[in-house]
Amino acid sequence: MAGTSTIEQRSIDFIPPEERHGGPRSLLFVWFAANTSITAVVTGALFVVLGNSALWSLPAIVIGNALGGFFTSLHSAQGPRLGVPQMIQSRAQFGYFGATLPLVLALMIYIGFYATGLVLGGQATSSLLHVPATLGAVVFALMSTVLALFGYRHIHRFSHLAAVLSLVVFIGLFARVLTAPSASELMQDGSFAAAPFILGISLAASWQLTFGPYIADYSRYLPAETPRSQTFGWTFAGSVVGGSIAMTLGALAAALGGEEFSSAPVAYLADLGGVLAPVVLVAVICGKLTGNTLSSYGGYMSVATIVTSLTGHSVIRPRHRAIYISVISVISLGIALAATDNFIATFTDFLLFLLYFMTPWSAINLVDYYWVRRERYDVGQLFARDGIYGRYNTGAFVAYILGVVVQIPFMNSSLYVGPIASWMGGAEVAWVLGILVSGGIYLALSRRAGIGAPDPVLTR
């Protein structure tokens, strides 16, 4: 990257040592800002909507964020070591062309989160600028697109501002919520229901796990010698603390506000801010802008990886980068503008649906990195169509498919409720089985195929 104020020039290609910069502490700001978004607040409201009391929502939120954040932070630690985007590294597990499957699924995540972010970010922009909601969404999409175009360094810089502003505003909102007349009564309600509690843990875990496909994209410029513990630790702290704070606020606000919050979460939070409502709206916009930019940037990375696998190229020119990001923004904006009023229910289903399909990928990727190849990759071969990682890896697909299939009896969504999930009263544990089965099978098949020790040391 030439200079500190230029648009990022790198795309999916390897980041050479001379262009590495920064420290792992910056990851705290990126992931705190991304997690203290209005979408995370809405996700926290779902804990109460699903049947948890406000009091029992809190441990479910923390446990779920910690479980999901543990796995995504392990992905983040891959960035400095490999110096390539997360999904490029999937070619080592699924093969050069086989990685297209998780790439398409990841692209669905990016577009889905981008669209939902435009709904809520657009509402905040509309309220702040006093313009129609549609125009607010358009303005917010333009801001997300511009920040994604400037790229990695500017995303990190902006996240510092967003994280600090979000923290200050969230402290103020907590003070308003906890001093409400009915707050003490809510916190004294100790009624416990196991199924909603477990479902809530899965919901929080799914929130964190959906960052997995692109979390290493934002650590790949760090120097290769950056300690794994620091990359993991700062990512985990930002993700878990940020997600827990935002979701806790959402659960409390939903318990206090009821339908008023569910129907208009942005307006409800702005009203809590009183005379400082504009500051609350700016914080909502900045926090959501961070998350939307990550989705736009990650979506571009996925599209670029798919395209280069078909063309045989390893570099994307800035002009094409701008086109890809703009197209992703337009598609996401179209979805946002067509969104229905049943937003919370639809978003719940979206999160849980993605969880069924992405946890097997996460397990395979982590097992390959930490246990099979033990961080030893030939990065140059990730860009070789007929390289050592092959075009397709049958073992990875077998592990992935079985990891999805084993979840079916345990699924609990609006589309399908498995017999075991029904017997358990709606408790959601399918994702745990997806991780264990996919990871275990991939490890066994890899060892049987002799994959691991012969791999060369990391190279350019």
Side-chain angles (χ1 to χ4, degrees), residues 301-359:
M301 290 288 191
S302 291
V303 173
T305 305
I306 294 172
V307 170
T308 54
S309 68
L310 299 176
T311 62
H313 297 154
S314 60
V315 178
I316 295 292
R317 296 184 182 278
R319 178 170 59 89
H320 295 144
R321 166 202 177 99
I323 293 173
Y324 295 153
I325 291 176
S326 299
V327 169
I328 291 170
S329 294
V330 170
I331 293 173
S332 300
L333 179 61
I335 296 173
L337 295 179
T340 64
D341 294 333
N342 193 24
F343 175 75
I344 288 183
T346 302
F347 186 61
T348 306
D349 295 336
F350 174 70
L351 279 176
L352 293 177
F353 173 79
L354 292 176
L355 186 62
Y356 300 136
F357 293 92
M358 289 313 299
T359 50

Side-chain angles (χ1 to χ4, degrees), residues 171-190:
I171 290 174
L173 292 176
F174 267 115
R176 291 296 304 272
V177 168
L178 294 175
T179 56
S182 57
S184 59
E185 181 181 343
L186 286 174
M187 297 308 295
Q188 291 173 3
D189 179 9

